Amino acid sequence: TFLLFAACKLSIVATKVYYFLSIPYSINRHTAIMKLSTLSVLLSVATIMVGTTTTAFVPVATTMPLQRTALSVASSIEQEQPDVVNAVMIDGTRTKRTREERLEAASKGLQVHVVGLSIHHAQVEVREKLAIAESDWNMASAELCESGAISEAAVLSTCNRFEVYYAASDPRQAMAAVTAYLSERGDLPVSVLRRNLFMLSGDDAVWHVMRVAGGLDSLVVGEGQILSQVRQCHLHSIEDDGCGGKVLSRMLNNAVAAGKRVRSETAISKGSVSISSAAVELSELLSVPDLKLPFSEAKLAVIGAGKMTRLLITHLASRGLEQITIVNRSMKSPLELQEMFPDVQIDIKLMDDMWDVVAKSDIVYTATSATEYIIDKKSLEENGLAGGKPIMLMDISVPRNIGTDSKEIPNVC
């Protein structure tokens, strides 16, 4: 093609010279130049057409070096991020992918997807079976990538949602791998899982994570805690044992930036902005009609001493809270809360004293990471709390800490 193009160019130049010399001197110079220009344009168009036609018949082998160069660049990027993407499972053993397999995977474009369960789509019984502690997010991401169908993955598991963000070149194969993993992990039939799952791809997946970070998809619109959780999802994904590559890490980072901008440029974060604050407002609202007692005079207790408890005490303190009892498995976290809230009298009890604390309290909040009920109808009856004074139980944890059958006891609200 190059030689043909050069030959045509030489012929154009030769034609111009010959044509110019053959014109009598008496002819107007301007007319001659116009004729030469017209001929030059026609020959140039012919040259381009010939070159294009010739290129169409170039053997495929001629373009292979360009493809190999592109694959080499993709391979070098992949080698800069040596993660679980380069490994596959063979007979239960994790084996590193061959160079050819990695080059083939790198040659395929990645598309982002999100699969998950949220308060808008799934029953709480299903969500609590799939809940994953933050310390295990990266482990779950690695297990998802071990199938080989998923190139990048990041897990976000909160009280109200469980979502898997992933990047893959084959959407169907990746979706099948995610569904199988969730079914096995939660011990749920695929048929039940599919009725509760939602899946978004491409732009829809990006818009979804932006809405999540902005607080638009939360149970309490505008809550601030979800932005921190999305940020933690991003930070975990780029850790050494994380599975977030260039695609997911950039998407999550942009989502965090969008969430910050929403809260700084709009009034979405004003009012009740977390589950904890909503629980405080609800218990304050129901205190008089259900307990026949003003909220300021009610004896309060909270079981658990994690982030939710910290937010709960923060909102209670803003309403003039003076005393609260914390029940926890250890003393470390409650002592830290005592230091954080010096103006609030915090009494600390261990789990052995839980039922004594519940019996003496008017309102009990539960916010533990327990995977089973710590309060239910049977345990309330066994501890002599059925038929006594009114008591309000407020569960703000997932998995749930209070059994739904507790409301069958007349004095429990």
Side-chain angles (χ1 to χ4, degrees):
T1 303
F2 175 77
L3 292 176
L4 179 61
F5 182 80
C8 291
K9 278 294 184 181
L10 289 175
S11 65
I12 291 172
V13 174
T15 304
K16 286 181 177 181
V17 173
Y18 174 79
Y19 191 81
F20 185 80
L21 293 177
S22 64
I23 298 174
Y25 185 77
S26 60
I27 296 179
N28 187 283
R29 179 66 60 87
H30 177 72
T31 304
I33 293 176
M34 290 298 294
K35 292 182 178 180
L36 286 173
S37 300
T38 302
L39 181 60
S40 176
V41 169
L42 293 174
L43 289 175
S44 297
V45 171
T47 302
I48 293 173
M49 293 178 63
V50 173
T52 303
T53 305
T54 307
T55 304
F57 290 94
V58 175
V60 176
T62 309
T63 63
M64 289 304 294
L66 295 177
Q67 294 181 359
R68 284 195 294 268
T69 303
L71 293 178
S72 299
V73 173
S75 177
S76 65
I77 294 175
E78 187 178 21
Q79 291 173 0
E80 291 175 1
Q81 300 178 356
D83 51 20
V84 295
V85 177
N86 295 333
V88 294
M89 295 295 293
I90 299 178
D91 297 332
T93 304
R94 188 171 166 181
T95 307
K96 192 174 181 63
R97 286 184 178 183
T98 63
R99 182 174 181 275
E100 289 74 14
E101 290 174 337
R102 286 186 283 111
L103 292 179
E104 181 181 359
S107 65
K108 299 178 180 179
L110 296 180
Q111 187 179 25
V112 293
H113 310 271
V114 57
V115 170
L117 310 164
S118 76
I119 53 174
H120 307 299
H121 308 89
Q123 302 173 351
V124 66
E125 293 83 0
V126 177
R127 284 190 285 119
E128 61 188 6
K129 287 186 177 181
L130 291 175
I132 300 177
E134 184 177 336
S135 58
D136 296 330
W137 287 1
N138 282 354
M139 181 184 68
S141 300
E143 291 173 352
L144 284 165
C145 290
E146 284 177 351
S147 65
I150 299 172
S151 300
E152 303 177 17
V155 171
L156 174 64
S157 180
T158 71
C159 295
N160 295 312
R161 69 180 65 251
F162 172 81
E163 297 180 355
V164 177
Y165 304 101
Y166 63 93
S169 54
D170 189 336
R172 292 186 178 181
Q173 186 179 2
M175 179 59 181
V178 173
T179 305
Y181 172 78
L182 297 180
S183 176
E184 180 180 358
R185 180 180 182 85
D187 193 21
L188 293 166
V190 175
S191 58
V192 174
L193 195 60
R194 288 188 179 276
R195 287 198 299 268
N196 291 271
L197 279 179
F198 72 89
M199 176 184 177
L200 299 171
S201 301
D203 292 344
D204 292 334
V206 176
W207 276 111
H208 173 75
V209 69
M210 298 293 175
R211 286 176 53 85
V212 169
L216 294 173
D217 197 61
S218 301
L219 179 62
V220 180
V221 176
E223 64 151 320
Q225 191 176 6
I226 187 62
L227 177 58
S228 174
Q229 292 163 339
V230 173
R231 180 176 179 273
Q232 288 302 114
C233 178
H234 170 241
L235 294 178
H236 284 304
S237 70
I238 60 177
E239 291 175 349
D240 292 338
D241 60 340
C243 299
K246 293 188 174 182
V247 176
L248 283 188
S249 61
R250 182 168 184 178
M251 182 186 73
L252 292 172
N253 187 43
N254 287 341
V256 173
K260 292 179 180 179
R261 183 176 177 184
V262 166
R263 286 165 176 79
S264 63
E265 298 183 12
T266 70
I268 194 173
S269 59
K270 293 183 179 180
S272 292
V273 292
S274 71
I275 299 298
S276 299
S277 61
V280 171
E281 290 192 4
L282 181 61
S283 56
E284 183 178 18
L285 180 66
L286 299 178
S287 179
V288 173
D290 290 350
L291 302 177
K292 311 303 179 185
L293 186 70
F295 184 72
S296 58
E297 298 178 9
K299 295 180 180 179
L300 308 181
V302 56
I303 304 175
K307 294 180 181 179
M308 296 293 284
T309 300
R310 175 175 57 81
L311 293 172
L312 186 71
I313 297 178
T314 299
H315 293 291
L316 288 170
S318 67
R319 284 168 167 74
L321 172 70
E322 296 180 354
Q323 183 178 0
I324 190 171
T325 302
I326 294 180
V327 181
N328 198 49
R329 291 176 297 179
S330 62
M331 299 291 291
K332 180 181 178 182
S333 296
L335 289 174
E336 292 176 353
L337 290 173
Q338 276 186 335
E339 296 179 0
M340 293 176 61
F341 301 95
D343 297 333
V344 179
Q345 181 182 340
I346 298 179
D347 299 327
I348 302 174
K349 299 292 184 179
L350 296 177
M351 291 299 291
D352 294 338
D353 300 322
M354 184 188 78
W355 289 109
D356 291 335
V357 173
V358 173
K360 296 176 182 178
S361 303
D362 298 307
I363 302 176
V364 177
Y365 304 93
T366 60
T368 77
S369 58
T371 57
E372 298 180 355
Y373 297 143
I374 60 175
I375 298 177
D376 57 13
K377 179 181 178 181
K378 182 180 179 180
S379 60
L380 286 169
E381 292 174 340
E382 290 176 347
N383 288 276
L385 296 178
K389 69 180 182 65
I391 180 173
M392 182 184 296
L393 302 178
M394 192 74 65
D395 193 353
I396 56 175
S397 55
V398 173
R400 290 172 294 178
N401 293 162
I402 301 176
T404 55
D405 58 357
S406 299
K407 61 185 178 182
E408 297 176 7
I409 299 179
N411 63 304
V412 173
C413 50

